[in-house]
Amino acid sequence: MMTLNELRRSFADLDAAELDRWIDNRWIRPEGRPGAYVFHEIDVARAHLVAELRELAIDDEALPLVLSLLDQLYGVRRQMKLLHKAINAQPEEVRRAFLVAVRASAAPMDGADADPERDGA
């Protein structure tokens, strides 16, 4: 965990007002109260992400959308890791059958004009 001052020191170009704005906008969500925040590892990573997005000229209006999309992407990634772990825990024959089923269902989607509605999805 990190204090507010430690987090501020870890960013060379970040002034206190901008960090406070990030917290006010809930782009990062530390525990505690103003002046006595505690930042967990995930908060620190999120602050670095916000800083990188700001360097890419993502403005204040677009940043919430970008963060939301990234959150969704990371959520799907976590789910895929759990699914991968669950599949690998299955017997070899089940894993093979699953792979065959995935390949069969993915084949129609290989084309650029694949329409899931037409395929009954």
Side-chain angles (χ1 to χ4, degrees):
M1 287 193 283
M2 228 183 235
T3 66
L4 180 61
N5 289 332
E6 290 170 333
L7 182 67
R8 285 180 179 150
R9 284 193 301 267
S10 72
F11 288 89
D13 299 341
L14 182 62
D15 65 16
E18 187 165 4
L19 181 56
D20 289 341
R21 192 167 49 81
W22 294 2
I23 295 168
D24 291 342
N25 288 336
R26 301 192 47 80
W27 298 341
I28 53 176
R29 298 176 185 146
E31 286 184 11
R33 55 179 169 48
Y37 288 121
V38 176
F39 297 85
H40 294 274
E41 185 177 329
I42 190 75
D43 303 312
V44 175
R46 179 84 165 193
H48 284 283
L49 174 61
V50 171
E52 288 177 27
L53 292 170
R54 303 292 289 156
E55 288 175 15
L56 293 172
I58 305 293
D59 65 23
D60 287 359
E61 290 182 27
L63 194 58
L65 175 61
V66 171
L67 289 171
S68 175
L69 292 171
L70 287 171
D71 288 343
Q72 291 176 46
L73 180 62
Y74 293 143
V76 169
R77 186 175 171 201
R78 278 191 302 275
Q79 290 175 343
M80 292 300 292
K81 284 181 181 181
L82 291 172
L83 181 59
H84 182 263
K85 185 177 178 180
I87 291 168
N88 281 337
Q90 300 303 310
E92 179 66 26
E93 66 214 34
V94 173
R95 290 195 314 261
R96 277 195 207 126
F98 183 80
L99 183 58
V100 167
V102 167
R103 286 182 177 157
S105 65
M109 292 185 202
D110 288 343
D113 61 346
D115 182 0
E117 294 294 323
R118 187 182 64 206
D119 295 333

